[in-house]
Amino acid sequence: MKYILFSILISPIFSLDYSIDISPIIYENCTSCHREGQIGAFLPLTNYEEVFNNRFWIAYAIAGDEDSRHGDPIMPPWPADRSYSNLLDAMYLTEDEIHTFLNWLDEGAMQGNSSLEYPMPDFPEGSAIGEPDMVIQMEEPYSISGNYEDDYRCFILNTDFASPINLSAMEFIPGNMEAVHHAIIVAVPEGSVDALDNADPEYGYECFGDFGTSNISDFLGGYAPGTIAREWPQGLAQIIPANSDLIMQVHYAPLIEDQTDQSSINIFIKDEPVERYVQEHLMINFQFALPPNEITDVTTTWMIDSDISLIQFLPHSHLLGKSWEIFAVKPASRDTIPIIRINDWDFDWQFFYSPEYMIHLPAGTVVEATCTYDNTSDNPENPNNPPEWAFWGDGTNDEMFFVPFRYISYEDGDENIYLGDVLMGDINGDGDLNVLDVVSMVNIILSGDCPASADMNADNNCNVLDIVQLVHLILL
C-alpha cells in the first residue's frame, strides 16, 4: 500500500510533458510545413493547444498500424526505404521519438511548464543558398480555384540567354507555400511551346504527366516541401542552353478557397572553371501494358558503357504505381549496389534523391529498375472504376515508367565526395569543430590533398593559413 501511494505521488514528477519532451520533436520535424502560409497550414502545429487537439491524428501519421508503420510512416513525408540505402535529407522520426509521443499520449498528454518549451526554430525566408545571380518570376499571378482538386500547370519563363549558362544551382521559390506542392523546371528552345500556352485561355497551360513536349533539356531544378536546394560541388555544373525558355511545371495542392501564386526561380551561375558537366540518362519504358484487375511488375535495365559517378535519381509513375526498387549489379564481382526502394509509392510525394556520397558505377554495370503497378479496385488511387487497360501516356488515366538519373564521368576519389552540406573545418566529419580537426588538417597539408571542408579561405590551397582560420573558429 505504501508503495502504491508513493508511486501515485511521484508519477507526475517523472511523466512526459509537452514542453520538455514533445515540443522539440514537433518543432524540429513538423512545424516547418504545419504553420500559417505553408503547405500544411490546414493543420497548424505551432503550440501545445494545436498539437493536443490533433494528437490522435499525429499518432496515426507517425506510427499507425504496427504492421505497416514505424519504418514507413505517413509523416514526415519520406517515401524512400531508409533501411535499403543511405540518402541525403531523409525526413523521419527516430523510434525513440515515435514512442515518446505515443507514451505522452497514453499518459494524458500533459503540457507541463510552458516556460520550458523548446524555442521555435528560425525558419528561413527566401533563398537557402544566398544571393542569386538572376531571379525570374512568373509574369503574372496565377489564380488557383478553391475547388479542393489538384491543379497541374506549366508556365513559360523567358530567359533571354544569348549564350549557354553554367548553372551552379536553380532554386524554386514558391509564391504561395500553402498552395504549391511540388515543381519541376526544364529548358526548351525559345518559342517552341508558345502554341500550347496560347491555346489555353488562362495563364500557362495544363500539364499533368509531362511538359507537353518531348524537346526538353535535362531537369534543371525542382521543389517539394522539405527539400533543400544546393549548389553543385566544386568543378561541377549543368548547362542552360542559349536561346532557351524555361518551363516550370507546378503541382498545386487542393484548396478550399480561391488563392493566387506568383512563384519565381533563383539562378546561381558557376563562377569557377567547370571540370565536369552533370549529365542525365532517362530510363523510360514505353512498351508496358497494364491489364485491369491485376498487379503487374515492369522492369527496365540500363547498361553503363563507361565509368560514371551517380549523383541523383527520380523514380516517376502515376496513380497506379505501387512500389519501386532500383539497384545496380557490378560486372566483375556481381556485387549489388542498392540505390533506392519505395515500398508505398505516393504520386504526391516525389523527390530528386541523392546518395550521401557519389556512387561509382564502373563500365559494364547494369542498373535495374522495377515498378509494381496496382490496377485493381483495391488501389484507392485508381482513376478508373472499374479498372481499365492502362498504357504509357501523359494524362491522369495513363501511366508512366520514367527515371531520370543524374551523373558525371568518374574520376578517382569520387566515391569519397560527400554530396550534402559541408561544415567548413570539420575535417574528420564528426559534425563538430575541435582540436581533432586541427590534427586532421595538418595531415591533409602533409599529404598534398585539399578537400572542400579544409580549404578555409577558399584559395584552392590547403596550408598554414587554413590552420590559423580553423583555430580561430574553434576558439570563437
Side-chain angles (χ1 to χ4, degrees), residues 195-436:
L196 291 173
D197 194 31
N198 295 333
D200 196 303
E202 298 182 57
Y203 178 43
Y205 60 93
E206 186 176 2
C207 55
F208 172 75
D210 66 357
F211 300 89
T213 176
S214 59
N215 189 13
I216 63 174
S217 71
D218 294 347
F219 286 14
L220 299 174
Y223 166 83
T227 55
I228 299 173
R230 288 188 175 90
E231 295 189 80
W232 290 114
Q234 184 175 354
L236 306 185
Q238 285 183 286
I239 289 182
I240 302 179
N243 304 310
S244 295
D245 291 329
L246 298 178
I247 299 182
M248 187 171 70
Q249 182 198 72
V250 183
H251 168 202
Y252 293 106
L255 299 173
I256 59 174
E257 57 183 30
D258 294 347
Q259 295 191 32
T260 62
D261 172 57
Q262 193 169 8
S263 295
S264 60
I265 295 172
N266 290 339
I267 293 178
F268 297 83
I269 300 174
K270 206 73 172 179
D271 59 0
E272 62 189 42
V274 178
E275 300 168 3
R276 290 179 287 175
Y277 284 100
V278 176
Q279 303 175 65
E280 191 168 88
H281 172 81
L282 299 181
M283 180 185 279
I284 302 176
N285 187 325
F286 295 106
Q287 306 302 320
F288 64 84
L290 306 178
N293 303 306
E294 290 188 22
I295 294 176
T296 305
D297 290 340
V298 176
T299 298
T300 302
T301 59
W302 169 29
M303 172 70 78
I304 307 298
D305 56 14
S306 60
D307 284 26
I308 66 171
S309 295
L310 186 63
I311 52 181
Q312 281 188 339
F313 31 88
L314 169 64
H316 173 77
S317 53
H318 288 179
L319 301 177
L320 298 182
K322 179 180 175 67
S323 64
W324 278 92
E325 182 175 11
I326 303 175
F327 59 88
V329 180
K330 290 186 175 182
S333 64
R334 306 303 296 171
D335 288 343
T336 297
I337 304 172
I339 295 176
I340 186 171
R341 183 169 63 199
I342 298 174
N343 300 315
D344 187 9
W345 169 257
D346 188 339
F347 180 81
D348 287 335
W349 294 107
Q350 302 184 55
F351 303 92
F352 248 116
Y353 295 93
S354 295
E356 291 184 340
Y357 292 85
M358 295 186 186
I359 300 176
H360 176 208
L361 300 179
T365 296
V366 176
V367 178
E368 180 174 310
T370 298
C371 181
T372 300
Y373 298 89
D374 184 353
N375 193 9
T376 72
S377 299
D378 292 334
N379 178 3
E381 302 299 327
N382 197 325
N384 298 309
N385 186 17
E388 301 177 2
W389 279 92
F391 307 92
W392 172 279
D394 303 336
T396 309
N397 293 356
D398 302 316
E399 258 307 329
M400 282 192 177
F401 184 111
F402 178 80
V403 188
F405 292 91
R406 287 174 170 172
Y407 66 94
I408 54 175
S409 56
Y410 174 74
E411 291 185 0
D412 288 342
D414 276 357
E415 53 269 84
N416 299 319
I417 296 178
Y418 182 62
L419 292 172
D421 295 325
V422 177
L423 175 61
M424 293 302 297
D426 183 19
I427 315 301
N428 61 1
D430 65 356
D432 194 15
L433 299 181
N434 50 48
V435 68
L436 297 177

Side-chain angles (χ1 to χ4, degrees), residues 5 15 33 78 113 142 163 199 203 215 253 323 332 365 371 443:
L5 180 60
S15 62
C33 291
W78 186 255
N113 186 345
Y142 172 65
S163 57
Y203 178 43
N215 189 13
S323 64
T365 296
C371 181
N443 290 332

Side-chain angles (χ1 to χ4, degrees), residues 7-167:
S7 299
I8 293 174
L9 290 174
I10 68 168
S11 60
I13 299 176
F14 295 102
S15 62
L16 298 168
D17 68 56
Y18 178 81
S19 297
I20 294 176
D21 304 290
I22 305 303
S23 63
I25 299 173
I26 297 296
Y27 297 164
E28 288 290 350
N29 296 281
C30 311
T31 308
S32 60
C33 291
H34 289 275
R35 56 193 174 98
E36 184 178 356
Q38 304 298 309
I39 192 69
F42 63 93
L43 189 82
L45 301 175
T46 64
N47 55 52
Y48 169 73
E49 183 177 1
E50 291 171 347
V51 174
F52 180 84
N53 290 340
N54 294 289
R55 62 195 185 280
F56 296 113
W57 186 95
I58 297 171
Y60 169 74
I62 66 173
D65 178 34
E66 291 184 359
D67 294 331
S68 62
R69 299 281 185 257
H70 284 244
D72 198 15
I74 297 174
M75 288 286 163
W78 186 255
D81 185 342
R82 292 186 295 109
S83 68
Y84 188 76
S85 57
N86 295 321
L87 303 173
L88 283 179
D89 306 324
M91 295 180 285
Y92 65 96
L93 298 183
T94 66
E95 285 294 304
D96 285 344
E97 289 172 328
I98 293 172
H99 288 297
T100 295
F101 188 91
L102 299 178
N103 291 337
W104 172 69
L105 195 62
D106 291 341
E107 292 178 9
M110 301 298 292
Q111 180 177 13
N113 186 345
S114 60
S115 66
L116 299 178
E117 189 174 299
Y118 189 79
M120 187 67 66
D122 183 19
F123 298 111
E125 300 289 342
S127 175
I129 300 176
E131 188 68 26
D133 296 291
M134 183 179 302
V135 178
I136 304 177
Q137 189 176 40
M138 293 165 57
E139 293 181 357
E140 60 184 79
Y142 172 65
S143 298
I144 312 158
S145 176
N147 56 7
Y148 206 70
E149 293 182 0
D150 293 286
D151 187 359
Y152 299 87
R153 203 77 181 166
C154 280
F155 304 99
I156 302 173
L157 305 180
N158 302 119
T159 65
D160 298 322
F161 293 149
S163 57
I165 297 295
N166 287 334
L167 184 68

